[in-house]
Amino acid sequence: MIQDIAPHHLNNAWLPQPPSPDSYALFYEGNTALVRHTEDGFTFPRFRELEADNDDIYQHYTYLFTVDEEHFYLLDHITVPAPSPYVMENTQFFRGAAPRWLAFAGVTGHHLFLWYGSRRFCGRCGAPLHPDTRERMLRCDRCGQMEYPKICPAVIVAVTDGNRLLLSKYAGRTNARYALVAGFTEIGETLEETVQREVMEEVGLKVKNIRYYKSQPWGFSSTILAGFFCDLDGSDQITLDQNELAEAEWFAREDVPLQDETHASMTQEMIRWFKTGHT
């Protein structure tokens, strides 16, 4: 999966320090990121490549994290020298980009970029928020409100019936891949209750024997995903929520399609796990 970057290691502890010329500079606009394509994949600019055209680059930055000994920083605005080998790529590019450790850094940096951009003012009193010096948190100096990075819990659910797996396609998407039932956890729910509710809401089925698989940080949607396998409980008749799904159907194990060779998502890993007979 996209976070599997061993032997590299992401250290997201709040250990801010000034950037050096060799530090990585992450710059985003909406859902795009500044990257340079290389023979081996891609890379991000380093501060030394941008300093000549950005006089204040060492004064205006946000510390993000390290991967091994490499430091990553977020820049709000930059001037890219022209001509430049750097281009703005949609962040979905990171799903299959190499090297994997840089791709994961790009996704995680974008997660934080979206959070900082949506938390400029206090939701309680409207005053500006300011970075805290002791932890990754934004604080309101007027009322004391504290804001931490947004992480939304959600579930990915593989519903099985013996040798069959339920696959679905999301509504409103062109060239949609087959996926598993998924949804966000609501207030007052356990993750297991989310599994039962989402399956019932999206395909009208009851499930039992809910079993945890593993989890995955998914910075594309500021989400922490929890994967579950479960068994059909009762009728296999699908009642489709057409607002959420375009289709849903049962596939025999040998007919389950494998559509994503990037190995980035837990959804596709779980589908592959079932098809190869692990459950």
Side-chain angles (χ1 to χ4, degrees), residues 2-250:
I2 199 167
Q3 76 273 16
D4 297 329
I5 61 173
H8 301 285
H9 174 69
L10 172 74
N11 183 357
N12 58 11
W14 180 246
L15 301 169
Q17 56 185 283
S20 73
D22 287 331
S23 298
Y24 279 110
L26 301 189
F27 176 72
Y28 304 92
E29 289 181 339
N31 290 321
T32 63
L34 186 68
V35 303
R36 173 167 59 86
H37 295 281
T38 68
E39 290 184 1
D40 299 325
F42 86 102
T43 189
F44 297 109
R46 296 185 186 264
F47 273 66
R48 65 172 180 267
E49 300 174 70
L50 302 172
E51 59 188 19
D53 295 271
N54 297 272
D55 295 338
D56 61 349
I57 195 172
Y58 291 101
Q59 286 76 49
H60 299 286
Y61 60 83
T62 300
Y63 172 79
L64 294 178
F65 46 74
T66 64
V67 177
D68 302 333
E69 301 303 317
E70 299 283 5
H71 290 72
F72 291 78
Y73 296 81
L74 178 65
L75 300 181
D76 287 336
H77 63 275
I78 59 172
T79 298
V80 180
S84 171
Y86 285 93
V87 296
M88 299 301 295
E89 282 279 5
N90 190 286
T91 53
Q92 291 295 316
F93 160 79
F94 295 133
R95 291 178 66 123
R100 175 67 63 84
W101 68 273
L102 270 183
F104 184 50
V107 174
T108 307
H110 189 245
H111 184 168
L112 289 168
F113 161 76
L114 293 175
W115 174 66
Y116 280 117
S118 64
R119 296 297 188 275
R120 297 185 183 277
F121 299 95
C122 177
R124 176 187 291 165
C125 73
L129 294 174
H130 301 286
D132 190 75
T133 58
R134 296 169 299 176
E135 56 183 328
R136 192 187 307 281
M137 179 260 286
L138 298 173
R139 182 185 299 276
C140 176
D141 294 336
R142 179 189 293 172
C143 72
Q145 174 81 350
M146 297 180 292
E147 292 281 351
Y148 290 89
K150 175 184 176 182
I151 304 174
C152 303
V155 298
I156 301 291
V157 188
V159 182
T160 65
D161 179 31
N163 202 45
R164 299 191 301 168
L165 176 68
L166 181 71
L167 295 179
S168 62
K169 288 187 177 182
Y170 294 113
R173 297 189 186 182
T174 58
N175 300 320
R177 297 185 180 95
Y178 279 107
L180 302 174
V181 171
F184 290 99
T185 299
E186 299 288 353
I187 295 296
E189 278 186 333
T190 66
L191 294 174
E192 291 81 2
E193 288 169 340
T194 304
V195 168
Q196 293 172 316
R197 177 182 55 78
E198 286 291 342
V199 174
M200 176 56 68
E201 287 180 355
E202 294 193 2
V203 292
L205 300 175
K206 292 182 179 181
V207 294
K208 61 184 179 181
N209 299 331
I210 299 170
R211 308 177 299 282
Y212 175 71
Y213 174 65
K214 63 171 67 170
S215 62
Q216 176 177 38
W218 196 244
F220 297 104
S221 56
S222 303
T223 306
I224 178 70
L225 300 171
F228 292 89
F229 282 89
C230 57
D231 300 330
L232 178 69
D233 183 11
S235 172
D236 67 353
Q237 183 65 43
I238 296 170
T239 303
L240 195 68
D241 179 355
Q242 296 182 349
N243 292 319
E244 295 287 336
L245 301 178
E247 59 182 275
E249 58 182 301
W250 293 101

